[in-house]
Amino acid sequence: MKLKLFHNCKEATLLISKREETELSFAENFFLRIHILYCKFCRSFSKQSRLLKQSLLSLNQKNEKGEYTLNLSDEKRALLKKEIERHLKNP
Amino acid sequence: MDPQTTSLLQPARWVDNYGDYLYNYAYFRVNKQELAEDLVQDTFLSALKAQEGFKGEASEKTWLTGILRNKIIDHYKKASTQREKQELDNSRPAVSYNYFFEEEGGHWTDDRGPKEWGVNAGNSMESKEFFKILNACLSKLPEKWAMAFSLKTLDDVQGDKICKALDISSSNFWVIIHRAKLQLRECIEKNWIRA
């Protein structure tokens, strides 16, 4: 990795995004760690990036009360059941 | 494990058992209510026709989810070819790197750098309010970016499949995810954190 990148937030935030989804190379990891040590903005970005992912993931699942974020409307539910029933009677 | 996870399919109970699950699954990947409902309906109809294909190796839920996932990818493929031509008159503009970073040196500009949110890592933001803002912010991203971001973040479709469906190169893929996140993060900060 070129030396000039040692001060580059654009590059660092790209690596942060990448790190969440895949493994970084040794050089990338090294650069990122050092950068984050002294860059307050990128430190925040890194935290928030993780938070965003966790939030999206948990919104997509049931909460502790066993509720989903969204529920099918009663009409839609009835319609789907009717469609399935019709097909089962008449495959 | 519940009884439905055996090799027997029970279509009459699909809506009660998996309706909301599949609806949420679809919604968070397409970010549109009506479309998510349609995808769930299509999934049930395709599943009914493909019942013989169910070998009982996976649970009923996993099997239905697999069908839905393919429907979502198909939707993305269609959307990305249709949108291609409309990309120019985009009502959902891409914010450029220079908006966030100094052109020279690539530092955050002082007023665009991330602020502290005061939310601990490890916690997540699950409130209805956050959900609304997240949705609004996602819908401001260029559609392809929002698609790539949601799919990748929810993490069950491989990167190369997303690239193929959205017709983007793999090097472009990370840039898109990155820029989507920059834009989304700022939108959330503006609308939620300081609200």
Side-chain angles (χ1 to χ4, degrees):
Chain A
M1 189 145 300
K2 283 183 200 126
L3 206 64
K4 67 173 169 103
L5 292 180
F6 271 85
H7 292 285
N8 194 326
C9 302
K10 189 168 143 187
E11 184 73 17
T13 51
L14 176 66
L15 291 179
I16 289 166
S17 298
K18 231 169 154 176
R19 182 176 62 178
E20 243 155 64
E21 316 294 346
T22 181
E23 246 174 70
L24 298 181
S25 73
F26 180 80
E28 286 172 330
N29 228 326
F30 182 73
F31 158 70
L32 188 56
R33 273 163 195 277
I34 292 187
H35 184 93
I36 278 183
L37 266 183
Y38 67 80
C39 179
K40 196 178 78 189
F41 285 151
C42 286
R43 214 156 44 229
S44 293
F45 182 86
S46 171
K47 257 197 252 167
Q48 292 162 10
S49 178
R50 221 171 324 143
L51 201 58
L52 210 57
K53 185 181 171 100
Q54 280 164 355
S55 305
L56 201 58
L57 280 169
S58 57
L59 279 171
N60 190 223
Q61 288 161 356
K62 281 185 187 169
N63 63 15
E64 318 86 66
K65 291 181 212 146
E67 296 159 339
Y68 283 107
T69 306
L70 297 161
N71 297 102
L72 283 167
S73 64
D74 290 342
E75 294 107 39
K76 194 70 199 175
R77 204 175 280 276
L79 191 96
L80 287 172
K81 281 187 181 173
K82 223 195 275 167
E83 286 269 337
I84 290 174
E85 230 170 88
R86 202 175 57 199
H87 183 95
L88 289 175
K89 276 187 200 139
N90 218 337
Chain B
M1 222 177 253
D2 43 3
Q4 297 83 256
T5 54
T6 57
S7 61
L8 262 176
L9 290 175
Q10 299 182 296
R13 297 177 59 182
W14 282 352
V15 176
D16 287 329
N17 287 347
Y18 313 117
D20 282 334
Y21 168 78
L22 294 171
Y23 178 49
N24 281 271
Y25 186 99
Y27 186 89
F28 284 97
R29 286 159 178 83
V30 298
N31 302 308
K32 285 186 197 116
Q33 182 193 331
E34 222 173 295
L35 178 59
E37 288 174 352
D38 288 348
L39 286 166
V40 172
Q41 182 165 351
D42 283 356
T43 298
F44 286 148
L45 295 180
S46 296
L48 285 167
K49 287 177 201 147
Q51 286 184 75
E52 305 85 65
F54 181 72
K55 299 277 189 287
E57 285 150 358
S59 71
E60 192 177 31
K61 186 178 176 184
T62 306
W63 182 67
L64 288 168
T65 310
I67 297 173
L68 175 58
R69 187 184 305 134
N70 285 333
K71 300 255 171 230
I72 292 170
I73 293 175
D74 283 346
H75 161 74
Y76 279 8
K77 274 187 201 156
K78 235 187 284 160
S80 78
T81 40
Q82 279 167 2
R83 302 273 167 226
E84 207 91 344
K85 293 166 198 110
Q86 304 165 16
E87 208 110 329
L88 283 176
D89 63 335
N90 210 332
S91 58
R92 299 163 69 166
V95 175
S96 77
Y97 273 131
N98 291 347
Y99 174 84
F100 298 105
F101 302 111
E102 288 164 2
E103 206 164 339
E104 262 184 46
H107 286 288
W108 287 99
T109 60
D110 276 341
D111 48 339
R112 312 260 191 241
K115 311 277 181 298
E116 271 296 327
W117 283 3
V119 183
N120 288 329
N123 290 1
S124 54
M125 306 173 282
E126 287 156 62
S127 66
K128 295 259 171 198
E129 196 193 0
F130 173 73
F131 170 65
K132 260 192 242 156
I133 289 164
L134 178 69
N135 259 327
C137 289
L138 273 172
S139 68
K140 279 182 198 156
L141 294 179
E143 203 164 5
K144 224 183 223 191
W145 292 17
M147 287 175 182
F149 178 80
S150 300
L151 269 191
K152 189 60 211 169
T153 304
L154 292 168
D155 205 27
D156 44 22
V157 180
Q158 285 162 332
D160 53 344
K161 267 203 178 154
I162 304 175
C163 292
K164 229 172 136 195
L166 297 179
D167 194 25
I168 46 183
S169 69
S170 62
S171 57
N172 224 345
F173 175 67
W174 287 114
V175 173
I176 285 177
I177 300 281
H178 180 217
R179 293 179 67 180
K181 197 177 278 178
L182 285 168
Q183 203 167 322
L184 198 59
R185 193 213 66 78
E186 196 200 47
C187 178
I188 289 169
E189 184 167 293
K190 273 189 182 158
N191 292 288
W192 187 63
I193 301 301
R194 275 181 271 179

